[in-house]
Amino acid sequence: MTNKKWWISDIHGYAEPFKKLIQKSDINLEEDKLLIGGDLIDRGPDSGEVVKYARWLDKTFPNVRVQRGNHERMLEQYLEGELEEKSFFINGGAATLDSFEQTFKSKRERETHIRWLTSLSVSAHSDEEFMYVHAGFHPDIPLNAQPMDLFVWIREPFLEADPQKILNKSEQRKVVHGHTPMNEVIEDEARISCDLGVFRPSGKLALVNLTDKTYWAWDKASGTVAFHEIKQVRSAEKNLGDID
């Protein structure tokens, strides 16, 4: 049996849907590879529980890898005094700090989880088949020369680039990413876009089976989980949805 590769990102504090997707899907955490691609925190109700569960997965199963997104990067910058409180709070930071207080009952436990979270890599990670990154990368800059924040913040230069330029940079690996909300999980010639904007009123959270080109999605409006196939499109046909 072939071990499968899975991706989930942009969880944004929705702990119960995150856990439900793991439980409802056919993922085998002992054997399969799971990439958690960042933006665990902010905007949703249970950022602390998401971080706690993701860290448990990371520490328990050798094939789980967790990356940082732009929201973890903002937390780091806020804690280091590089980001103003207003900018951090307007993106959901206040609710995240409150959730940390509720979830982690001791200062030591809270600091342990925050230290783990802010030490995660933001850089692109590759295997023989895919490249995994929170937001993307700039197709005109060498990967080893990209400013760190491009990996977690970039949108149009990556999303709108010619697919061959992306593949040339990724050494012919398809790039799996989140960060920019789409209406469904879509795959073009070079990218698989997996963020379904769970924080929006009509949003969803997707656990994507990259091997079978399918995904399980929790629907915020109905509270249900459904099975879907990844939509195959040509890059020129993509609808980028509501960028946020």
Side-chain angles (χ1 to χ4, degrees):
M1 183 179 69
T2 302
N3 296 342
K4 298 177 180 180
K5 298 174 183 179
W6 299 76
W7 166 277
I8 187 170
S9 66
D10 303 277
I11 301 165
H12 285 298
Y14 283 85
E16 288 308 311
F18 179 24
K19 294 177 182 180
K20 185 178 289 187
L21 287 171
I22 297 293
Q23 294 162 0
K24 289 275 191 179
S25 71
D26 58 342
I27 189 171
N28 182 341
L29 291 169
E30 298 284 353
E31 303 291 341
D32 294 348
K33 180 176 182 177
L34 172 63
L35 277 295
I36 302 174
D39 279 10
L40 283 69
I41 61 172
D42 295 346
R43 294 178 170 163
D46 298 307
S47 290
E49 188 61 34
V50 171
V51 172
K52 185 176 181 179
Y53 184 56
R55 184 175 181 271
W56 176 80
L57 291 170
D58 180 47
K59 299 296 184 182
T60 304
F61 302 102
N63 294 325
V64 173
R65 183 185 178 102
V66 190
Q67 296 171 282
R68 264 190 296 168
N70 55 299
H71 283 261
E72 287 79 38
R73 179 75 177 116
M74 285 190 289
L75 172 64
E76 178 186 40
Q77 291 173 313
Y78 170 72
L79 294 174
E80 293 180 351
E82 299 174 4
L83 183 67
E84 293 182 357
E85 183 178 272
K86 180 180 179 180
S87 297
F88 179 58
F89 282 9
I90 201 171
N91 285 289
T96 293
L97 295 181
D98 288 344
S99 179
F100 285 175
E101 292 280 351
Q102 294 297 318
T103 303
F104 308 119
K105 299 306 181 183
S106 70
K107 181 179 179 182
R108 180 178 180 181
E109 184 185 20
R110 185 164 61 252
E111 290 179 347
T112 295
H113 282 80
I114 291 175
R115 187 164 53 249
W116 170 81
L117 184 65
T118 56
S119 68
L120 297 170
S121 174
V122 301
S123 300
H125 161 66
S126 298
D127 58 26
E128 73 285 352
E129 188 176 8
F130 297 108
M131 178 177 283
Y132 310 92
V133 62
H134 176 69
F137 53 78
H138 201 294
D140 298 324
I141 302 175
L143 285 177
N144 60 6
Q146 304 244 345
M148 178 174 63
D149 281 351
L150 280 184
F151 291 119
V152 296
W153 278 108
I154 197 166
R155 293 197 196 273
E156 285 83 358
F158 170 75
L159 297 169
E160 298 177 358
D162 179 82
Q164 195 54 55
K165 290 187 71 173
I166 298 296
L167 292 172
N168 289 343
K169 193 70 66 179
S170 66
E171 299 182 341
Q172 305 308 307
R173 299 173 174 89
K174 286 213 171 178
V175 181
V176 183
H177 71 95
H179 184 57
T180 300
M182 306 284 176
N183 295 321
E184 54 196 310
V185 178
I186 60 174
E187 177 178 12
D188 69 10
E189 301 93 326
R191 292 152 287 225
I192 303 178
S193 304
C194 303
D195 178 10
L196 301 187
V198 67
F199 59 89
R200 302 182 298 184
S202 60
K204 298 178 181 179
L205 180 64
L207 174 62
V208 184
N209 183 333
L210 299 167
T211 304
D212 293 345
K213 301 299 176 69
T214 59
Y215 64 100
W216 296 83
W218 176 80
D219 186 293
K220 187 175 185 179
S222 66
T224 59
V225 172
F227 183 75
H228 307 265
E229 293 186 357
I230 294 176
K231 183 177 181 179
Q232 307 291 322
V233 300
R234 296 186 61 81
S235 59
E237 301 169 346
K238 283 198 303 188
N239 174 10
L240 297 185
D242 299 322
I243 294 177
D244 195 322

